[in-house]
Amino acid sequence: LGAGEMPSHLKDFIVFEEDDEKFHLLTSSLNNSGIESRPKRVGNLNELQAILEQPEKSGLAHFKPRLVFIGMPKTTDKIWELLELRRKRVDLRKIPMIVFSNPEIEHEETQRFYDYGVNSLVLRPENQGDYGKLIETIREYWFGIVMLPSS
């Protein structure tokens, strides 16, 4: 840390979500969950990849993501490239990745996400109550039960 900088007790999250309303529901649920978080929204998967690969070049040198949330993108081509990069790099595999899926996802695509190392593929909640329940489950599991490596 540089002079005068204090280590943060906040949990850093990266959120890729194309839908503004879904992003708001997610961040509201994070705020209401008791998780002291600092979500960083990325506008596209290229930006997410840049932050994961070299956070200091994105102006986020002290940003240490504890989870990555990905809302299922409209097109999935880029996500496989991102997941392939993550699969090859041990440092990136240490950051749990949760993908919010739609109900129409095919079994083969579900399998492919897990083959590429996604930690959790969950049905995208539709309302504030469902987001709240999901975030509470995530909080209990990823920050209460699971022992994560330090980044």
Side-chain angles (χ1 to χ4, degrees):
L1 296 176
E5 289 185 53
M6 298 293 293
S8 175
H9 66 283
L10 298 173
K11 291 177 176 54
D12 292 332
F13 301 129
I14 300 176
V15 180
F16 168 72
E17 177 56 75
E18 294 172 322
D19 184 310
D20 291 339
E21 181 183 351
K22 301 293 186 198
F23 176 76
H24 175 71
L25 290 171
L26 173 64
T27 55
S28 293
S29 295
L30 283 169
N31 291 336
N32 293 334
S33 71
I35 300 173
E36 295 186 55
S37 63
R38 185 169 49 183
K40 165 69 176 147
R41 186 179 190 184
V42 295
N44 59 59
L45 292 171
N46 289 327
E47 184 182 359
L48 173 56
Q49 183 170 334
I51 290 171
L52 289 174
E53 286 187 294
Q54 297 180 317
E56 62 283 349
K57 286 191 176 181
S58 300
L60 299 170
H62 300 289
F63 188 82
K64 305 292 184 211
R66 298 283 304 272
L67 281 175
V68 175
F69 294 100
I70 296 180
M72 183 71 82
K74 291 177 180 82
T75 59
T76 58
D77 296 342
K78 179 66 182 169
I79 200 164
W80 304 120
E81 181 183 324
L82 172 71
L83 293 175
E84 183 62 29
L85 169 75
R86 182 175 177 267
R87 187 162 58 168
K88 291 178 181 175
R89 292 200 26 201
V90 172
D91 59 325
L92 298 182
R93 289 193 316 259
K94 290 179 182 180
I95 305 167
M97 187 173 284
I98 299 171
V99 175
F100 295 118
S101 174
N102 56 44
E104 296 82 32
I105 190 168
E106 299 288 331
H107 173 75
E108 295 78 19
E109 194 169 33
T110 298
Q111 185 62 50
R112 188 174 181 196
F113 272 106
Y114 284 106
D115 289 346
Y116 272 74
V118 166
N119 300 91
S120 297
L121 184 69
V122 297
L123 189 60
R124 182 194 308 260
E126 290 298 319
N127 58 56
Q128 188 70 53
D130 290 345
Y131 265 97
K133 290 174 192 171
L134 179 61
I135 294 301
E136 180 58 27
T137 300
I138 289 169
R139 183 188 68 75
E140 288 176 13
Y141 183 74
W142 287 109
F143 303 114
I145 296 172
V146 173
M147 296 178 358
L148 294 170
S150 58
S151 48

